[in-house]
Amino acid sequence: MFRTLRPLLFRINPESAHRLTIRSLAAWQAVGCPGAPSAPKRSPVMVAGIEFAHPVCLAAGFDKDAEAIDACHALGFAGIEVGTLTPRPQMGNPKPRLFRLAEDRGVINRMGFNNGGIDAALPRVAGTKRRGVIGINVGANKDSGDRIADYAIGVAKAAPLADHVTINVSSPNTPNLRDLQDPAMLADLLAACDGARMIGGRRVPLFLKIAPDLDAKALEPIVRTVIDGGIDALIVSNTTISRPELRSRDRGQAGGLSGKPLQLLAREKLGEVVAIASGAIPLISAGGIDNADEARRRLDMGASLVQLYSALVFEGPGLARRIANGL
Ligand SMILES: Cc1cc2nc3c(=O)[nH]c(=O)nc-3n(C[C@H](O)[C@H](O)[C@H](O)COP(=O)(O)O)c2cc1C
């Protein structure tokens, strides 16, 4: 069915196609996700004390405003990260800001944390059926005078409802956000988030998501800071600002590149982080995962879970289940 619909969806501009997808999923969810195929059968995976039904999860940015959590679980994802959510709503960058690189099976985005704000999203999280893991990914407003405080607000607000909260310091589309990966700044950020994560005696697991545009030398102190800062899992990685050889018309657009063209880099960065961390922290691999072999490869390299987003654009909504069943 997706193969038939894909040429039509590809005629619509990518952001409208994405809105249409989220609206359709939300409508399907509102009537209880009829016709959802049975959940993939695999043994569960424990990461940071959280049970995932299998290792295949949806990466942040697909359901930024928590509109279709139940539907995403019904598609077969063991976990979904909503967000990135910021303390105050924000428009994001001017459109167009999302580009499909069909010939390369990639995506370039410079969305800039467009979202309705964490206060608007949380009631939707509270109203879900929780048929899988729910992570809430938090970030800072672009015009914030105190970005670290924004993260602490996000963690404190998300903690009562989230299975885990992800600190996203790796989006390339908010100017200077990635500076928070600098070990000294990162230590301050993690201390502030650690202070915000306790809720009614429960310490919500904190995940951190890093960029793939860090060389092994820069990664070493970051990974050490993350481990020392009490982070429970590390997501490797976000989109890249680097540009391998690309063929698609929109290859020159500014923003973060994801999907197939990110695959090799994401693998390489996972390998480097595995070597540095040597088992001290669970790792989650993201970047260009588009089939069961690639997912298997990341798990064999040392990741505990995988996350994907861009491949959904090209492979359709059955992908999570196909990968989970194919592992
Ligand atoms: C359109 C788009 C929006 C994204 N928005 C976010 C976001 O808000 N927060 C975040 O942490 N990652 C965001 N990402 C990054 C993805 O979560 C993921 O880390 C990255 O795309 C690599 O995985 P993939 O190659 O499977 O897409 C976004 C990716 C895309 C394509």
Side-chain angles (χ1 to χ4, degrees):
M1 168 107 141
F2 176 73
R3 300 232 174 266
T4 321
L5 281 177
R6 194 173 68 178
L8 291 174
L9 268 178
F10 276 26
R11 263 192 239 154
I12 310 174
N13 83 65
E15 190 161 350
S16 301
H18 182 252
R19 266 320 298 159
L20 182 66
T21 306
I22 293 288
R23 284 222 182 96
S24 310
L25 288 172
W28 184 50
Q29 161 177 301
V31 292
C33 305
S38 54
K41 285 198 179 46
R42 278 201 94 253
S43 15
V45 189
M46 291 298 290
V47 175
I50 308 162
E51 184 177 304
F52 292 76
H54 58 75
V56 184
C57 299
L58 179 61
F62 178 80
D63 187 13
K64 283 184 190 267
D65 285 304
E67 295 168 274
I69 295 177
D70 290 336
C72 293
H73 287 143
L75 289 179
F77 287 105
I80 145 164
E81 259 189 36
V82 300
T84 296
L85 291 163
T86 53
R88 285 173 290 110
Q90 66 180 27
M91 300 286 286
N93 290 321
K95 295 177 187 171
R97 54 194 180 175
L98 180 58
F99 305 89
R100 234 184 253 122
L101 274 55
E103 290 88 340
D104 301 296
R105 298 181 92 72
V107 172
I108 291 179
N109 92 82
R110 51 169 180 271
M111 305 300 286
F113 289 169
N114 58 308
N115 76 107
I118 196 162
D119 293 332
L122 289 181
R124 286 190 286 272
V125 177
T128 58
K129 299 204 164 58
R130 302 198 87 99
R131 292 207 171 112
V133 172
I134 303 177
I136 300 182
N137 178 308
V138 299
N141 279 111
K142 183 181 175 186
D143 61 356
S144 169
D146 184 348
R147 287 189 166 165
I148 290 184
D150 275 18
Y151 282 93
I153 291 169
V155 171
K157 289 193 171 186
L161 287 170
D163 293 308
H164 66 86
V165 181
T166 296
I167 302 167
N168 174 21
V169 284
S170 47
S171 165
N173 301 314
T174 297
N176 308 322
L177 190 84
R178 288 179 165 197
D179 293 354
L180 287 167
Q181 294 177 132
D182 168 78
M185 293 245 261
L186 188 58
D188 289 347
L189 171 68
L190 299 189
C193 291
D194 193 44
R197 70 154 110 180
M198 284 302 289
I199 172 80
R202 170 178 170 252
R203 197 168 169 263
V204 70
L206 285 181
F207 294 6
L208 185 94
K209 184 167 180 180
I210 58 172
D213 304 312
L214 297 156
D215 61 25
K217 208 168 136 235
L219 272 173
E220 170 104 34
I222 292 174
V223 175
R224 300 260 162 260
T225 307
V226 164
I227 295 167
D228 295 347
I231 291 295
D232 299 280
L234 188 56
I235 305 176
V236 189
S237 68
N238 213 309
T239 58
T240 179
I241 52 169
S242 71
R243 291 291 183 269
E245 215 170 287
L246 298 168
R247 293 180 297 141
S248 308
R249 191 191 57 192
D250 285 321
R251 62 183 179 270
Q253 292 291 342
L257 172 69
S258 55
K260 195 83 173 177
L262 173 59
Q263 195 174 73
L264 281 180
L265 182 65
R267 247 190 239 155
E268 186 184 310
K269 293 300 139 185
L270 175 65
E272 289 171 6
V273 175
V274 166
I276 298 166
S278 35
I281 185 169
L283 303 175
I284 300 167
S285 182
I289 295 167
D290 56 0
N291 61 48
D293 286 346
E294 188 60 31
R296 177 82 267 152
R297 188 172 189 149
R298 306 290 174 95
L299 298 174
D300 288 347
M301 285 176 71
S304 301
L305 300 170
V306 296
Q307 290 185 340
L308 62 89
Y309 176 172
S310 301
L312 284 177
V313 175
F314 304 100
E315 305 292 337
L319 184 63
R321 181 167 285 98
R322 281 203 298 279
I323 294 183
N325 286 330
L327 279 173

